Amino acid sequence: MSHVFPRHTKANLPTAVAGDGCYLIDATGKRYFDGSGGAAVSCLGHSDAAVIRAVQEQVGKLAFAHTGFMTSEPAEALADLLIEQAPAGLDRVYFVSGGSEATEAAIKLTRQYHLERGEPERRHLIARRQSYHGNTLGALAAGGNAWRRQQFDPLLIGVSHIAPCYEYADRPEGESAFDYGQRVANELEAEILRLGPETVMGFIAEPVVGATSGAVPAVPGYFKRIREICDKYGVLLILDEVMCGMGRTGHMFACDADGVSPDILCIAKGLGAGYQPIGAMLCSADIYAAIAAGSGFFQHGHTYIGHPVATAAGLAVVTEMLSRDLISKCGNRGAQLQAALVDRFADHPHVGDIRGRGLFRGIELVADRTTKAPFDPGKTLAAKVKSAAFEAGLICYPMSGTRDGRIGDHVLLAPPFIMTEAQIGEVVDKLDKAIALALQGI
């Protein structure tokens, strides 16, 4: 009998014993193509020799040094490399152990920044419906997924939620994509004015929405308008790239495609590529200067921030991405994957939308293509697709609640950047079979 507390007590999971490139291997020897990189984590696959070597070498030199006493060489080097690649204005890196911690740090830093500048009345955070920013209480409060929040609502801080930029579901016929984006972006200004501009501290959003909605990018011009509104009212712009960042969309940072720079940016998942648990919060020089000129102390912290082995892994991962040109290859391979998905599913009676950027792709499943009506959630379609795909040897990331946390189904794909063109066919074939099996009897 296992003493592990699993995600689901009724699941009977195989045991992973090895990784080989894009594949995971269980104790029976069965191979599974990791078509979602776990949860958009394993961007380099499961057996990258350079990263493994870097972790082993760092453990041999220094396993741990608490950042309350010392910094470390790999942490300093990784911070330098990230800022060298980061959007303009970002200047400091605060390392954490994962995405939820990065979001928590961003929310706290946003509040402290305004305090240090003598604006203690700035306390409100604004986010978007159908967003996901993590599972710790602060991050969960920021997220706009009703299903994930429901049972914990009494414990959550109050956060305002405006409309997402979800073109497929929400743009009416006759409205241009640009006008739609400007209209929903302007909801931010309306909410700031409703709350009182002097009371709003920050706005948080995913450049490409991941788990909750399935690789939904914003329309052109949306984030530029968001940036203008934040600047107008002195509100910090926080971009959550925990899932969509670190090369996943064909750009090192997803917001590069939107032509904006945030005040604070959160990363994780692909930063460590699964070889170590690591995340980071990047902030602007202005934010850092406000803390340095004031109390000098960011009142936050965890034991494992800046962990030498984790940052050594992150340094090796980013170095691999850059030295092997894997980010542009991710963009090119993503275009090939999109073309293959369109070729196979564009006329499928229950595929409503195929979307995303780079190797971050979503397929939205609908009961009616004409009306875009979702399936009855009681059909548990996403769970059936996941199970059928797994049986076929494909790990993908189907989710329900795509539209509002209750209705809607999508499949998220986020394969390793080292995926070959031939493996695209394997993924599409297995996914096609899984969707067909899941739809039987529905």
Side-chain angles (χ1 to χ4, degrees), residues 42 45 106 114 120 144 149 158 168 180 227 235 242 248 251 254-255 275 318 341 345 350 353 363 375 390 421 439:
S42 300
H114 292 297
R149 292 169 53 98
Y168 171 71
Y180 162 70
R227 177 75 270 182
V235 172
V242 167
R248 174 57 60 188
H251 301 267
C255 62
Y275 291 88
V318 178
L341 292 170
F345 296 112
H350 295 297
D353 194 27
I363 298 174
F375 283 95
F390 196 70
E421 187 172 357
L439 288 168

Side-chain angles (χ1 to χ4, degrees), residues 231-372:
D231 288 343
K232 180 177 179 180
Y233 296 101
V235 172
L236 296 188
L237 174 58
I238 308 163
L239 293 183
D240 175 356
E241 298 199 3
V242 167
M243 186 172 257
C244 65
M246 299 313 298
R248 174 57 60 188
T249 64
H251 301 267
M252 177 65 84
F253 297 96
C255 62
D256 289 342
D258 298 291
V260 297
S261 293
D263 301 296
I264 297 176
L265 188 145
C266 301
I267 54 175
K269 297 189 184 292
L271 176 59
Y275 291 88
Q276 286 285 293
I278 184 171
M281 175 196 69
L282 285 63
C283 75
S284 70
D286 288 345
I287 292 174
Y288 182 80
I291 305 298
S295 68
F297 173 63
F298 178 30
Q299 195 170 330
H300 183 59
H302 298 279
T303 299
Y304 291 124
I305 63 175
H307 193 281
V309 181
T311 51
L315 178 61
V317 168
V318 178
T319 300
E320 284 285 279
M321 287 184 190
L322 295 172
S323 64
R324 294 164 57 186
D325 197 25
L326 290 177
I327 297 172
S328 65
K329 289 177 181 176
C330 173
N332 295 334
R333 193 71 75 217
Q336 292 173 338
L337 176 59
Q338 176 75 4
L341 292 170
V342 169
D343 183 63
R344 183 67 61 90
F345 296 112
D347 296 322
H348 193 290
H350 295 297
V351 172
D353 194 27
I354 305 169
R355 55 188 176 237
R357 291 178 186 161
L359 284 173
F360 199 47
R361 298 286 163 177
I363 298 174
E364 184 161 345
L365 302 171
V366 293
D368 188 307
R369 282 168 56 98
T370 302
T371 64
K372 304 180 182 179

Side-chain angles (χ1 to χ4, degrees), residues 91-356:
D91 188 64
R92 294 282 172 160
V93 181
Y94 187 92
F95 290 112
V96 292
S97 297
S100 296
E101 285 187 20
T103 301
E104 292 282 339
I107 294 170
K108 283 188 172 181
L109 182 60
T110 299
R111 168 63 178 165
Q112 187 170 336
Y113 165 75
H114 292 297
L115 283 174
E116 301 273 4
R117 297 177 69 250
E119 296 184 275
E121 66 279 5
R122 288 193 184 263
R123 62 191 183 278
H124 291 302
L125 180 67
I126 302 173
R128 302 190 298 182
R129 296 188 294 276
Q130 284 307 93
S131 59
Y132 178 64
H133 299 295
N135 257 337
T136 50
L137 289 176
L140 191 62
N145 183 289
W147 172 73
R148 295 175 190 265
R149 292 169 53 98
Q150 185 176 8
Q151 62 182 323
F152 303 108
D153 260 340
L155 309 179
L156 304 181
I157 61 170
V159 175
S160 297
H161 291 89
I162 63 172
C165 189
Y166 186 179
E167 182 183 11
Y168 171 71
D170 294 340
R171 178 169 69 88
E173 194 173 337
E175 184 177 32
S176 72
F178 179 81
D179 288 345
Y180 162 70
Q182 298 300 291
R183 175 170 61 81
V184 293
N186 285 334
E187 286 196 22
L188 174 59
E189 183 169 35
E191 185 63 9
I192 290 171
L193 293 173
R194 186 189 74 82
L195 293 168
E198 72 285 353
T199 71
V200 179
M201 64 179 189
F203 172 68
I204 184 169
E206 301 159 272
V208 183
V209 182
T212 294
S213 296
V216 177
V219 299
Y222 170 84
F223 273 109
K224 287 190 175 181
R225 177 61 185 142
I226 290 291
R227 177 75 270 182
E228 290 173 358
I229 294 167
C230 288
D231 288 343
K232 180 177 179 180
Y233 296 101
V235 172
L236 296 188
L237 174 58
I238 308 163
L239 293 183
D240 175 356
E241 298 199 3
V242 167
M243 186 172 257
C244 65
M246 299 313 298
R248 174 57 60 188
T249 64
H251 301 267
M252 177 65 84
F253 297 96
C255 62
D256 289 342
D258 298 291
V260 297
S261 293
D263 301 296
I264 297 176
L265 188 145
C266 301
I267 54 175
K269 297 189 184 292
L271 176 59
Y275 291 88
Q276 286 285 293
I278 184 171
M281 175 196 69
L282 285 63
C283 75
S284 70
D286 288 345
I287 292 174
Y288 182 80
I291 305 298
S295 68
F297 173 63
F298 178 30
Q299 195 170 330
H300 183 59
H302 298 279
T303 299
Y304 291 124
I305 63 175
H307 193 281
V309 181
T311 51
L315 178 61
V317 168
V318 178
T319 300
E320 284 285 279
M321 287 184 190
L322 295 172
S323 64
R324 294 164 57 186
D325 197 25
L326 290 177
I327 297 172
S328 65
K329 289 177 181 176
C330 173
N332 295 334
R333 193 71 75 217
Q336 292 173 338
L337 176 59
Q338 176 75 4
L341 292 170
V342 169
D343 183 63
R344 183 67 61 90
F345 296 112
D347 296 322
H348 193 290
H350 295 297
V351 172
D353 194 27
I354 305 169
R355 55 188 176 237

Side-chain angles (χ1 to χ4, degrees), residues 390-426:
F390 196 70
E391 181 64 27
L394 172 65
I395 297 172
C396 57
Y397 200 143
M399 283 293 294
S400 57
T402 309
R403 297 290 178 86
D404 63 1
R406 187 182 69 87
I407 61 171
D409 301 276
H410 68 265
V411 179
L412 184 66
L413 297 173
F417 301 171
I418 61 171
M419 177 189 202
T420 66
E421 187 172 357
Q423 287 168 336
I424 290 175
E426 177 185 354

